[in-house]
Amino acid sequence: MVRKTIKESTKGLGLAVKSLYADMIPSNRLESTIFFSTLIWFLLFSLLFSFYVDLSEDQVELMGYDTFFYIGGDYPKLHLSKLLSWNLRHPCFVIFNLPSLIIDALLFYKLHVFVFSFISCIISSLSNLMIFKICREIGADKWATITAIILFPTFAHVILLSGQPETFVFTMFFMVLLILSAVLRHSNYYTDSILFLFLTGTTLTNCVKFLFVKIWEENGNIYNAIKRTTRSSWLFCIMFLLTAAGLVYRIVYKHIPLNDAIFNDTLKFVHELPNKFYLAWCHFLSEPILFHSTNLIVYTKDATVLPPYPSILMDMVIAFIYILSIYGLVRNIRSLVGKICLSCMLFDLFMHFVVGYGLNELQLFCEHWIFFVPITLSLAVSSLKNSLLRGSVIGFLLLVAVFFSLYNGYCYIHSM
């Protein structure tokens, strides 16, 4: 009986992996163009980072802070104690980076920064492709969607995070895949189990977003959604127990106090500067604060809030993008994607603006929710009935994409 159950589960998981893989990769020439163009774009910044930033300084901290623990130093090693390190916020994230660590080891730890950055670029590029697939599947105009996914990789924080093996990059990737699976109606017990594992294993609070998706898939039936979410947690629980072995190791052999071993800095909050509302207005789409820190994306805690944009035109452009995005969300608020967008965004805003969770992670709420912007943008532009107006907005957004790419690219390079 047990053998039969294991065999069925293995087969089910195999089919689910195959289904999810087919969802995320390009399926035609246009999608291949989108993926590879985005990948080349991100790799340009990743290569700059790899060659110009020195990670050997003790006072700096890689923005992919979870990963720096494994690739930092002169001789990074794949130690068991590191592999089983346990963090309540990101309970299985270490294991998800295992392929990168193995590749790094096979290359004798000579290209560890580039290895992690390259894989992160692939993940970010696939995320951009899946955003395109979501928009097209829910009926967004082709050219409006293409414009949105051209604009998205030019946002400042998207450029920054694409080259970093961060939990935020993983969160965006698996959230977009979860939404795409729901839109395509490919969700089942095994795909849900895999996605719950990766989403919740990356960041524990993502289990709430998973629940939101299931609530709207079940047409608002909370009981059924909770039941589906609970049934989908088994794979995560198994992996969670494996990483928890690292917790035991830290307590028993490293003699770390129980409270420090479990929580560490997890329950610390930030309510002081920088003003996160100011930050959300000015520095997600263009010129974020991390461009002005000591060592670009390798930063210290002495980064300061940027002054206002040099021109009011910048504020007008930012306002236009946000207003258009909100318009697209409001018009489609009753759709599956609209409900998912709103509920997940409100949850993140509550966690980071109201509760104030976060240390010096000024990029904290970027790739947790900003990928909704190209989705709602494409829906907003698609809803414009006048072809001349729609074409004008598309043209303007393309100009903004060119401007953002030049401006943010300059800031990125200049900061090094």
Side-chain angles (χ1 to χ4, degrees), residues 37-38 40-42 44-45 48 147-160 284-288 291 314 317-318 321 396-414:
S37 298
T38 309
I40 291 171
W41 168 254
F42 285 146
L44 290 175
F45 295 99
L48 282 171
T147 302
I149 57 100
I150 288 175
L151 178 64
F152 183 59
T154 69
F155 291 172
H157 277 71
V158 178
I159 290 174
L160 281 167
F284 280 118
L285 308 185
S286 189
E287 197 182 7
F291 280 151
M314 290 283 285
V317 169
I318 301 297
I321 292 176
F396 177 75
L397 289 176
L398 287 174
L399 287 176
V400 172
V402 172
F403 172 75
F404 274 3
S405 63
L406 294 175
Y407 185 78
N408 291 329
Y410 168 78
C411 290
Y412 186 100
I413 295 171
H414 179 71

Side-chain angles (χ1 to χ4, degrees), residues 229-294:
T229 301
T230 304
R231 290 177 67 244
S232 302
S233 65
W234 66 277
L235 204 55
F236 165 77
C237 291
I238 293 173
M239 204 66 71
F240 182 85
L241 290 174
L242 176 61
T243 60
L247 175 63
V248 175
Y249 173 85
R250 295 174 71 191
I251 295 171
V252 175
Y253 292 97
K254 292 292 185 179
H255 304 293
I256 297 176
L258 181 63
N259 186 63
D260 292 340
I262 294 177
F263 293 110
N264 196 11
D265 59 8
T266 297
L267 297 182
K268 292 182 180 179
F269 301 92
V270 170
H271 291 286
E272 66 274 8
L273 288 175
N275 184 301
K276 292 187 178 182
F277 287 98
Y278 175 80
L279 204 66
W281 175 259
C282 292
H283 306 302
F284 280 118
L285 308 185
S286 189
E287 197 182 7
I289 191 172
L290 293 180
F291 280 151
H292 293 258
S293 58
T294 305

Side-chain angles (χ1 to χ4, degrees), residues 83-142:
L83 178 62
L84 294 178
S85 267
W86 197 83
N87 186 305
L88 183 63
R89 290 172 298 175
H90 318 297
C92 302
F93 179 64
V94 179
I95 293 179
F96 303 159
N97 270 318
L98 185 58
S100 304
L101 290 164
I102 293 174
I103 294 172
D104 189 30
L106 292 174
L107 295 174
F108 303 103
Y109 309 105
K110 300 296 184 183
L111 298 172
H112 51 275
V113 176
F114 178 74
V115 168
F116 280 80
S117 297
F118 180 73
I119 292 176
S120 189
C121 286
I122 292 176
I123 292 174
S124 297
S125 301
L126 287 173
S127 299
N128 200 42
L129 171 61
M130 287 189 288
I131 290 171
F132 173 81
K133 289 187 176 187
I134 290 170
C135 293
R136 293 296 290 149
E137 186 65 28
I138 60 180
D141 176 76
K142 177 181 177 180

